[in-house]
């Protein structure tokens, strides 16, 4: 089947799904998602879209399988190594099908679901969760460009209307604010969550790798970590067809590449002065009850 034939028709509409803005491509397989058979050694990589999912997925894949399965590095794209749990786009395998087919142990599984929609088996099995969060401004900019180029996302409109939608929580997977705070609160009573920040990863990938290994209980040498750090830097991943999504048919890289800039602070090239003021005011309100602190520059 050609990439053209595999493309789904048109752009999806957003609708309310259990209080969250969603599109059918992430709800059509809901019964299987909710009844997902988790195993105790499954590792969930959870994020609001565009927070660094692919980066952390690649790091985890290399930590577990980089040494013993070198052929994997040249043959299997990241979205097959780390299935996207709620993904349900016609003519492609669903996330649950891909997860069930995985022969590796542990299984690495990606999700963008807010904490309240996570299948209960993952909690019952006490699965490890790596959550990655990114500051709201850069997250919104990255999501805007992603929605422009990705046919399974709704049309973003122009930047001015998009940032309003983002603030209202009308982007797919719902409000960024509730997502990052919901997972942060979960961490307070579920100890198997490692909460990471994109900005920390940019600042010192090696340090974050060490913290990740300690959470996962993995012993690695400094040399191994350095090798993974180098292989997962932005330029390396951008040039790597197994990591850069160039093999997936639903994205149009002529509009914007998946590996776009990979920076902290690109929001300054998008927000006007008044948009920034309005955003900051709104942000203060939305986040006033949370202890979470983000950096919008490093
Ligand atoms: S998705 O579609 O939700 O899975 O996207 P996600 O992977 O979460 O986020 C994509 C953004 O992460 C940037 N990225 C990286 N930045 C730095 N280093 C590395 N290695 C890296 N890999 C991915 C990617 O460029 C997107 O951010 P923007 O700001 O759009 O460039």
């Amino acid at each position: 089947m050609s990439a053209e034939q595999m493309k789904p028709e048109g752009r999806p509409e957003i609708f309310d799904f259990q209080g969250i803005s969603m599109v059918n491509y992430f709800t059509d397989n809901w019964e299987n998602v909710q009844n997902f058979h988790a195993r105790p050694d499954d590792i969930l990589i959870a994020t609001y879209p565009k927070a660094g999912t692919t980066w952390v997925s690649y790091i985890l894949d290399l930590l577990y399988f980089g040494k013993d399965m070198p052929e994997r590095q040249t043959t299997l794209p990241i979205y097959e190594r780390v299935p996207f749990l709620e993904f349900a786009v016609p003519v492609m395998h669903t996330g649950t099908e891909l997860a069930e087919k995985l022969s590796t142990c542990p299984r690495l599984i990606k999700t963008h679901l807010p904490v309240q929609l996570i299948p209960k088996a993952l909690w019952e099995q006490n699965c490890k969760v790596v959550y990655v969060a990114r500051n709201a401004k850069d997250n919104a900019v990255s999501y805007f460009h992603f929605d422009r180029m990705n046919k399974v996302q709704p049309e973003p409109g122009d930047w001015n209307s998009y940032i309003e939608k983002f603030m209202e929580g009308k982007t797919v997977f719902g409000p960024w604010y509730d997502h990052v705070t919901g997972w942060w609160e979960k961490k307070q009573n579920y100890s198997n969550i490692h909460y990471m920040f994109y900005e920390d990863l940019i600042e010192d990938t090696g340090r974050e790798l060490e913290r990740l290994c300690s959470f996962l209980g993995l012993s690695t040498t400094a040399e191994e970590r350095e090798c993974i750090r180098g292989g997962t830097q932005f330029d390396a991943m951008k040039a790597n067809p197994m990591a850069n999504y160039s093999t997936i048919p639903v994205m149009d890289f002529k509009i914007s590449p998946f590996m776009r800039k990979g920076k902290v602070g690109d929001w300054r090239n998008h927000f006007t002065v008044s948009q920034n003021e309005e955003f900051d005011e709104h942000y203060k309100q939305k986040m006033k009850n949370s202890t979470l602190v983000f950096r919008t520059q490093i």
Side-chain angles (χ1 to χ4, degrees):
M1 189 176 295
S2 72
E4 204 53 46
Q5 286 169 308
M6 285 167 69
K7 281 183 185 167
E9 305 273 311
R11 293 282 193 142
E13 292 292 326
I14 280 206
F15 59 93
D16 181 276
F17 181 77
Q18 303 190 23
I20 298 295
S21 294
M22 283 293 236
V23 291
N24 62 317
Y25 296 135
F26 307 122
T27 59
D28 276 355
N29 191 33
W30 197 247
E31 209 173 308
N32 290 324
V33 170
Q34 283 305 279
N35 296 322
F36 181 66
H37 293 290
R39 303 176 193 157
D41 47 14
D42 285 342
I43 300 175
L44 191 67
I45 300 162
T47 62
Y48 192 74
K50 315 318 291 178
T53 332
T54 315
W55 193 2
V56 169
S57 298
Y58 216 80
I59 288 175
L60 281 179
D61 187 76
L62 289 175
L63 277 171
Y64 281 102
F65 311 118
K67 245 191 335 192
D68 301 334
M69 304 174 76
E71 77 293 349
R72 185 178 170 91
Q73 300 313 318
T74 50
T75 57
L76 209 56
I78 190 66
Y79 51 83
E80 288 183 29
R81 296 182 205 183
V82 182
F84 181 5
L85 182 66
E86 57 273 19
F87 187 80
V89 171
V91 262
M92 296 174 78
H93 289 295
T94 63
T96 53
E97 278 167 356
L98 282 177
E100 273 148 29
K101 270 191 5 196
L102 281 184
S103 55
T104 47
C105 182
R107 297 187 301 182
L108 306 174
I109 297 162
K110 149 183 168 175
T111 186
H112 291 315
L113 292 173
V115 69
Q116 71 274 19
L117 296 185
I118 292 297
K120 64 176 184 323
L122 281 147
W123 306 127
E124 287 165 358
Q125 298 293 337
N126 197 31
C127 296
K128 287 196 169 72
V129 181
V130 177
Y131 186 82
V132 193
R134 185 178 192 182
N135 81 76
K137 292 178 185 176
D138 282 327
N139 206 139
V141 167
S142 181
Y143 209 177
F144 169 64
H145 290 293
F146 186 66
D147 282 2
R148 289 171 55 231
M149 61 81 110
N150 186 348
K151 301 290 188 291
V152 307
Q153 291 283 123
E155 283 286 356
D158 66 9
W159 166 250
N160 295 339
S161 56
Y162 189 80
I163 192 62
E164 294 292 329
K165 259 193 300 200
F166 183 90
M167 287 160 67
E168 287 164 21
K170 295 283 192 299
T171 39
V172 182
F173 292 103
W176 173 93
Y177 313 89
D178 297 355
H179 206 285
V180 296
T181 55
W183 278 97
W184 181 250
E185 280 155 28
K186 183 76 185 178
K187 180 181 146 65
Q188 315 313 318
N189 54 32
Y190 182 85
S191 60
N192 249 353
I193 295 181
H194 181 59
Y195 201 105
M196 305 178 72
F197 295 91
Y198 179 90
E199 294 73 25
D200 290 351
L201 265 164
I202 291 275
E203 183 179 65
D204 191 341
T205 314
R207 176 194 64 205
E208 295 306 310
L209 251 168
E210 271 190 70
R211 290 179 176 165
L212 198 50
C213 288
S214 147
F215 168 70
L216 297 168
L218 291 176
S219 61
T220 49
T221 63
E223 209 178 351
E224 283 163 354
R225 287 196 302 278
E226 179 50 27
C227 184
I228 293 174
R229 192 200 62 77
T232 58
Q233 287 304 282
F234 181 76
D235 291 342
M237 283 186 58
K238 188 176 172 80
N240 178 353
M242 295 299 112
N244 66 16
Y245 276 88
S246 57
T247 51
I248 205 161
V250 297
M251 299 179 189
D252 186 347
F253 280 31
K254 290 197 288 298
I255 299 175
S256 182
F258 184 90
M259 297 288 170
R260 196 182 57 88
K261 287 200 178 169
K263 296 230 177 313
V264 179
D266 186 42
W267 62 270
R268 290 182 191 282
N269 298 316
H270 293 75
F271 283 70
T272 63
V273 171
S274 68
Q275 261 169 0
N276 194 35
E277 283 168 7
E278 191 193 333
F279 192 91
D280 283 347
E281 201 45 51
H282 177 260
Y283 185 93
K284 248 190 262 162
Q285 287 303 316
K286 297 298 276 186
M287 301 294 280
K288 67 172 188 280
N289 295 326
S290 179
T291 52
L292 253 179
V293 178
F294 283 90
R295 292 189 288 169
T296 52
Q297 58 183 36
I298 53 172

